[in-house]
Amino acid sequence: MFLSRLLDPVKLAAREAGAELWRLYQTGDFQQQQKSDASPVTSADLAANSIIIDRLSTIAADIPIISEESYQVPLAQRQNWPRYWLIDPMDGTQEFVARSGDFAVSIALVERGWPALGVIYWPKEDVMYYASRGNGAFKQQHNLINRIHVNTHQAGNILKIAISRRQPLQPIIDLMQHAEKVEYIALGSCSLKSCLVAEGKADCYLRLGPTGEWDTGAVHVIVEEAGGKILDSEFTALSYNQRTTLANPDFMVMGKASIPWSDLVKSRPTERDLSA
């Protein structure tokens, strides 16, 4: 009941932030700079961040917020939170700057260390992906709402892998056991590629390189409610709010659970404890 009461206001917050991102994208009225990790951030990220934080604070003033662009809280302060918002005001800043349109708003609610509600809004296509724990995953485009499910991939069929527009392909090819049976689908934004798996348009998304928990929080519940899973590169579940850093390991968004993923994708060593 609690989650269902929150869902519509969160969808509205994501849509409002997305509308501002789209306005700034179309007008070009934004400034760009680099963060300390050399990744880009724009005034559009910060504008969307402000909108989301204002709306979430109104929806539930007692729930704390962690955002990629602000409100990053030390572990000692946050580790006992029963729930918190985990947001990425613009997932796909590079795509925003590069003018591909593949960027999205991402809002998650994490309860007891696990994503319980997730909303992804893609302004370019006016598409909303959303889910809450135990209630299924959905895709809304304009006024049409459909429940989504991962693909029922059959053994021997081509495996469809979602990949980044910006990252080199060879490291992904090297992870595949049977590269000749793979089709690669390029798209920007970590969350949008994950949603391709959730709606059955891709079978898997392999992510190598830096991401934060805000990149997977919302899509984690969407993918799971659609019948898939997200695991690190050693086939172990991701965790939330358990480390001093909010960085993710390399991870895999996988479709149908019955697929023998360990026979198709090579595991690779990863640092199990990212806390310093």
Side-chain angles (χ1 to χ4, degrees):
M1 182 65 179
F2 176 72
L3 293 178
S4 61
R5 190 175 77 247
L6 289 176
L7 187 56
D8 282 344
V10 173
K11 288 168 62 179
L12 187 61
R15 189 177 293 278
E16 187 174 347
E20 179 63 6
L21 288 176
W22 189 243
R23 183 187 72 81
L24 295 172
Y25 177 82
Q26 290 184 304
T27 63
D29 184 20
F30 63 90
Q31 294 77 47
Q32 179 185 354
Q33 54 186 298
Q34 281 193 337
K35 295 190 282 190
S36 59
D37 63 358
S39 63
V41 65
T42 71
S43 54
D45 294 77
L46 301 179
N49 190 61
S50 179
I51 290 171
I52 295 168
I53 289 173
D54 284 349
R55 299 302 174 266
L56 295 183
S57 298
T58 300
I59 294 167
D62 60 326
I63 300 178
I65 299 169
I66 294 177
S67 167
E68 180 180 14
E69 308 305 343
S70 62
Y71 290 80
Q72 294 189 34
V73 182
L75 178 62
Q77 181 178 338
R78 57 181 162 83
Q79 61 185 345
N80 294 320
W81 288 350
R83 61 174 62 93
Y84 62 95
W85 298 110
L86 182 61
I87 68 174
D88 187 349
M90 180 161 59
D91 177 31
T93 301
Q94 289 185 357
E95 302 298 330
F96 183 91
V97 173
R99 310 295 297 170
S100 76
D102 293 348
F103 55 88
V105 176
S106 175
I107 305 175
L109 180 70
V110 179
E111 286 191 322
R112 295 177 292 279
W114 202 252
L117 180 150
V119 172
I120 301 291
Y121 180 59
W122 186 4
K124 177 187 175 185
E125 302 296 334
D126 189 25
V127 168
M128 184 90 69
Y129 299 93
Y130 60 92
S132 60
R133 189 171 50 215
N135 296 306
F138 298 86
K139 177 182 180 180
Q140 179 176 352
Q141 188 161 23
H142 310 306
N143 293 320
L144 183 63
I145 299 175
N146 290 302
R147 188 162 184 171
I148 57 175
H149 304 275
V150 297
N151 184 36
T152 54
H153 183 271
Q154 302 297 317
N157 288 357
I158 294 293
L159 196 68
K160 296 181 180 180
I161 306 293
I163 59 169
S164 170
R165 291 185 189 277
R166 310 295 160 190
Q167 294 182 321
L169 179 59
Q170 192 59 48
I172 302 298
I173 293 175
D174 292 343
L175 283 177
M176 304 308 302
Q177 302 280 21
H178 307 287
E180 73 280 0
K181 296 182 179 179
V182 173
E183 174 187 344
Y184 296 100
I185 303 171
L187 186 67
S189 165
C190 176
S191 60
L192 293 179
K193 289 189 286 289
S194 299
C195 287
L196 279 184
V197 177
E199 66 175 315
K201 292 183 177 179
D203 297 299
C204 185
Y205 164 43
L206 306 177
R207 172 65 195 209
L208 308 180
T211 60
E213 292 180 13
W214 44 77
D215 290 303
T216 54
V219 293
H220 207 141
V221 62
I222 293 170
V223 169
E224 288 197 333
E225 287 295 318
K229 55 188 175 181
I230 301 183
L231 303 175
D232 71 19
S233 57
E234 290 185 329
F235 299 95
T236 302
L238 296 183
S239 62
Y240 293 85
N241 202 27
Q242 295 183 18
R243 301 181 297 266
T244 56
T245 172
L246 293 170
N248 280 329
D250 295 339
F251 64 86
M252 301 174 278
V253 182
M254 297 175 164
K256 203 67 176 177
S258 60
I259 295 175
W261 290 110
S262 59
D263 294 336
L264 298 172
V265 181
K266 301 172 187 175
S267 64
R268 62 199 302 264
T270 187
E271 187 176 352
R272 299 301 307 147
D273 184 2
L274 297 179
S275 60

